[in-house]
Amino acid sequence: MPENSAPRRLDGLLRSIRGHIRTLGLPRPDRLVISTPSGSVHAEFTSGTAPDRLACLLVWAASLHGVELTWTLQAAGTLAVAATGRTRSGITVGLAASASVIELGGKVKSRAAAVLGDTFRLTAHSPEQVTFDEVAQVVQSARLTSARLAVAA
């Protein structure tokens, strides 16, 4: 490859992902990593409330084709959600967001187990494939829980 092809490839990836964000009105990620060798993008959502971070990931996931979602209970009661898919132009996009189980209205049962929304039982370090609707249910439950707590306070 010619010496100047990497900058051109980076410019093309940047233009394409910025167009994807603008055209669809997607929330801006807090971190964006672009890989020119693989032609892929990784976006992370780290600011805002726990339900908002997961909701941002879901909005992005809805804009992609062939999406796969997984979640993993990590140490200290943190839920990590990841998604992968492709933009219309074929760029592979990886998405990540995490939140405390407690912030999501769940309960940490032990160092190795937690429950979200009285429905989902998670075991630490066991990635599970989930659906868009399951993650959306956790977001909705967390928002309802935080609204109830705000009214009670």
Side-chain angles (χ1 to χ4, degrees), residues 2-84:
E3 197 174 300
N4 63 356
S5 65
R8 278 194 214 145
R9 182 166 173 121
L10 178 60
D11 289 343
L13 286 167
L14 277 169
R15 265 193 307 280
S16 184
I17 203 67
R18 287 178 76 198
H20 185 75
I21 292 168
R22 281 192 201 137
T23 301
L24 299 172
L26 298 174
R28 291 183 182 254
D30 297 297
R31 182 174 178 186
L32 190 66
V33 178
I34 298 174
S35 172
T36 53
S38 67
S40 64
V41 173
H42 179 78
E44 292 181 39
F45 303 94
T46 58
S47 63
T49 67
D52 288 348
R53 292 190 300 270
L54 297 185
C56 285
L57 181 142
L58 287 177
V59 169
W60 268 73
S63 77
L64 302 174
H65 301 280
V67 174
E68 290 186 20
L69 282 158
T70 59
W71 64 22
T72 307
L73 178 63
Q74 298 177 333
T78 300
L79 178 71
V81 181
T84 57

Side-chain angles (χ1 to χ4, degrees), residues 77 89 98 103 105 114 135 139 153:
S89 63
S98 62
E103 285 181 290
V135 178
V139 169

Side-chain angles (χ1 to χ4, degrees), residues 123-139:
T123 304
H125 308 295
S126 296
E128 296 179 41
Q129 281 201 313
V130 291
T131 65
F132 184 93
D133 290 338
E134 289 170 328
V135 178
Q137 183 179 343
V138 168
V139 169

